Amino acid sequence: MKIFKVPSLPGVDGEAVVREARSLIVRKLDQPARRAFLQRSLTLGGLSLLTGCSISDDSHVEAALSQVSRFNDRMQGLLFSPTRLAPTYSAAEITRPFPFNAYYGEDEVREVDGASWRLEVTGMVADRHAWTLAELRAMPQDEQITRHICVEGWSAIGRWGGVRFADFLRHIGADTSAKYVGFKCVDDYFTSIDMATALHPQTLMALTYDGQPLPPKYGFPMKLRMPTKLGYKNPKHIQAMFVTNTYSGGYWEDQGYNWFGGS
Ligand SMILES: Nc1nc2c(c(=O)[nH]1)N[C@H]1C(S)=C(S)[C@@H](COP(=O)(O)O)O[C@H]1N2
Ligand SMILES: [Mo]
């Protein structure tokens, strides 16, 4: 395959973009959803021009699509404004009932015991103690009515309350110059986000839905709510979080969904 030609942009290290992309292009094409999702970013004709690949060769197509997706992550990261707010809505606009979604059905929603639950905090932080729900509830609380957009083709407006993640990160002495914050959930879900989004004023450790403790189906006891990101980037039932410079992907991201996942 030919060298991926990166346009020169101010402040962008083109070679680093390609290196980062190349380190992620080893996976084989096996997920139709992944391929369909990535193909939306660029037509195959354009892709073959860009890369010089034969479009009849699946592994080359896959490699090129992965490069485009990682390139896209870098561009979204560069374009992300740490202060621009996602739209907010009135209480009358809330979608009722708010939809449930997970990689399993509603009959398999995880029931977490709030009394014994702890949020484990590791990585590049000064204070690594595990948090109880009561401790999180004692922090200053914020609220938002925002739109959740799922790539499966639906969106809905909901009302979430909880702790601003930026407040929490500062409180625990997180190294906010780190690249990523990763999350592990009570189910097998996991994801990771860029630090700029972690510090965004609308990124919330949500403890409530519509004024009540988060119901199990919406991620009790705590989910991360980010109106600047697509639904799959919003982890429910969070059990552990870590601040890191090591890329750790995500449940859907590892199957081809774009990692940055901006909405
Ligand atoms: N732990 C966990 N978090 C998750 C998921 C999941 O399967 N498990 N699915 C994601 C997806 S794809 C969506 S659209 C939203 C759905 O959140 P909701 O049930 O509150 O609508 O949760 C996200 N977070
Ligand atoms: Mo989703």
Side-chain angles (χ1 to χ4, degrees):
M1 160 177 308
K2 274 188 204 157
I3 298 297
F4 189 57
K5 200 162 183 310
V6 179
S8 67
L9 288 169
V12 181
D13 178 353
E15 287 194 5
V17 173
V18 172
R19 267 201 310 279
E20 191 178 334
R22 283 203 185 288
S23 70
L24 285 147
I25 59 176
V26 287
R27 284 179 226 107
K28 262 197 70 64
L29 177 67
D30 51 7
Q31 305 276 345
R34 174 180 190 203
R35 189 178 187 182
F37 181 85
L38 289 171
Q39 280 175 347
R40 256 179 259 146
S41 333
L42 196 61
T43 64
L44 278 181
L47 190 63
S48 62
L49 274 179
L50 191 63
T51 61
C53 293
S54 152
I55 60 166
S56 58
D57 182 332
D58 266 2
S59 69
H60 279 182
V61 170
E62 176 68 355
L65 290 170
S66 294
Q67 280 191 335
V68 169
S69 192
R70 293 300 289 150
F71 183 72
N72 196 358
D73 284 340
R74 292 292 302 255
M75 293 304 127
Q76 287 184 74
L78 289 165
L79 294 171
F80 181 76
S81 162
T83 51
R84 189 171 62 224
L85 299 181
T88 57
Y89 300 86
S90 72
E93 292 171 288
I94 293 172
T95 306
R96 299 182 191 281
F98 191 85
F100 159 84
N101 196 30
Y103 65 87
Y104 42 81
E106 205 168 328
D107 54 332
E108 284 177 64
V109 166
R110 307 306 191 255
E111 298 279 346
V112 178
D113 171 27
S116 60
W117 175 84
R118 297 287 181 278
L119 171 67
E120 296 155 35
V121 179
T122 59
M124 299 160 69
V125 299
D127 175 3
R128 293 200 190 83
H129 97 273
W131 285 62
T132 64
L133 194 46
E135 286 176 301
L136 289 177
R137 286 177 176 155
M139 291 274 292
Q141 306 286 303
D142 193 10
E143 198 174 84
Q144 61 176 258
I145 301 177
T146 52
R147 184 184 294 277
H148 171 119
I149 302 168
C150 174
V151 289
E152 287 172 32
W154 56 271
S155 84
I157 294 169
R159 174 180 168 221
W160 293 271
V163 181
R164 278 189 190 210
F165 198 39
D167 291 350
F168 183 78
L169 288 171
R170 290 191 183 105
H171 187 91
I172 62 173
D175 180 347
T176 55
S177 71
K179 283 189 188 167
Y180 310 108
V181 183
F183 302 92
K184 283 187 183 146
C185 305
V186 168
D187 51 13
D188 287 329
Y189 209 74
F190 63 103
T191 189
S192 55
I193 60 169
D194 53 293
M195 185 59 78
T197 301
L199 296 172
H200 186 277
Q202 287 172 310
T203 295
L204 205 62
M205 299 169 88
L207 303 172
T208 67
Y209 183 77
D210 205 13
Q212 301 298 320
L214 217 53
K217 63 179 177 176
Y218 299 148
F220 183 84
M222 192 270 283
K223 70 170 266 178
L224 200 72
R225 173 64 198 140
M226 293 171 285
T228 57
K229 284 211 189 291
L230 293 166
Y232 64 85
K233 299 299 297 182
N234 290 238
K236 306 194 285 188
H237 317 288
I238 296 173
Q239 179 158 46
M241 55 160 277
F242 50 99
V243 176
T244 179
N245 277 321
T246 306
Y247 178 87
S248 61
Y251 183 93
W252 289 118
E253 295 89 328
D254 290 0
Q255 298 174 60
Y257 281 16
N258 173 252
W259 176 79
F260 193 88
S263 74

